[in-house]
Amino acid sequence: MERGEKALSELGSDRATYHPHDAAVRESWDEVVNTVLGAHGRIDGLVNNAGMNAQPVGTDSAADFERVLAVNLTGPFHGMQAVIPTMKAQGGGSIVNVSSSGGLMGIPLTSGYAASKWGMRGITRVAALELAKHKVRVNSVHPGMVFTPMSADSAGLVEGEGNYPPAPIGRVARAEEVSGAITYLVSDEATYTTGAEIAVDGAWTAGIAPVALLGPEFAQALLG
């Protein structure tokens, strides 16, 4: 909540509204939709970006696996269902589902995360086909490794050229490089783009990525 309130103060209450909610709970989505409609009268875009990581297949518990799916996959499903009636009624809208490079290729040690991100890819395509006639566009974005406070703490990522050899471009992404792709898909510049999968990963998924390129922590875990 603290980071949400900080973002609101930086953007200004005239440009943004902050409403914390649990992405895995449908009733919470309905509250958000009602809040937005009450403040603005319409919903032009939805970005499903909430997510959490998972554990290796062999050690992941069923409860943790299901929790990851609830947040990463069922949550976006609830979000889409919550906004679709409004978008249909107003004559269009744009939904962007943030998947992952892990939704385009297999990445070890990700279990439920990988399952959810591949699932996000599938539900995006289905929704794009179903909603095209209503001018509701649905696309997915697939980031590679992105520098954030969380990724810096958990994976030791460092910004800057040459600091991430696993990506052919040689560095991790900046958050604004991912948000730029999302902004494009939400905007009127992308009115003929739907059902697309946009990789923002520095060419990580452009070719065959040997396990060794995924980083020493993955290789060490796999080799024991």
Side-chain angles (χ1 to χ4, degrees):
M1 292 181 63
E2 182 178 337
R3 282 184 291 180
E5 292 169 353
K6 180 182 177 182
L8 177 61
S9 67
E10 292 173 350
L11 291 169
S13 58
D14 59 326
R15 298 178 59 202
T17 300
Y18 172 58
H19 187 101
H21 83 116
D22 187 339
V25 178
R26 174 56 195 263
E27 290 77 12
S28 187
W29 275 106
D30 291 337
E31 291 177 6
V32 171
V33 167
N34 290 334
T35 297
V36 173
L37 289 176
H40 304 286
R42 59 186 293 121
I43 298 176
D44 293 300
L46 166 66
V47 179
N48 277 310
N49 191 43
M52 57 189 297
N53 212 333
Q55 303 300 317
V57 174
T59 58
D60 203 3
S61 70
D64 286 344
F65 183 87
E66 290 171 1
R67 176 58 181 167
V68 171
L69 290 183
V71 173
N72 291 12
L73 184 56
T74 308
F77 166 76
H78 288 320
M80 288 191 289
Q81 280 203 330
V83 302
I84 284 171
T86 296
M87 289 185 174
K88 283 183 176 180
Q90 68 192 22
S94 175
I95 297 171
V96 180
N97 292 323
V98 180
S99 179
S100 166
S101 56
L104 297 173
M105 67 178 181
I107 298 179
L109 311 182
T110 59
S111 188
Y113 178 85
S116 67
K117 295 305 183 180
W118 279 82
M120 179 87 85
R121 184 182 180 187
I123 198 171
T124 297
R125 289 189 174 198
V126 171
L129 291 169
E130 292 181 355
L131 299 173
K133 63 184 178 182
H134 300 287
K135 294 184 173 55
V136 177
R137 298 180 292 105
V138 191
N139 296 285
S140 60
V141 171
H142 300 259
M145 296 299 284
V146 182
F147 183 83
T148 65
M150 183 173 68
S151 65
D153 291 340
S154 64
L157 296 183
V158 179
E159 284 187 291
E161 299 295 335
N163 286 325
Y164 194 66
I169 204 170
R171 63 173 176 82
V172 295
R174 300 184 300 272
E176 58 267 27
E177 291 176 311
V178 180
S179 65
I182 294 170
T183 301
Y184 161 71
L185 290 173
V186 172
S187 77
D188 288 341
E189 298 298 316
T191 50
Y192 202 64
T193 304
T194 188
E197 300 168 345
I198 298 182
V200 188
D201 64 0
W204 199 15
T205 58
I208 298 174
V211 169
L213 289 181
L214 296 176
E217 67 278 9
F218 289 119
Q220 182 179 0
L222 287 177
L223 297 175

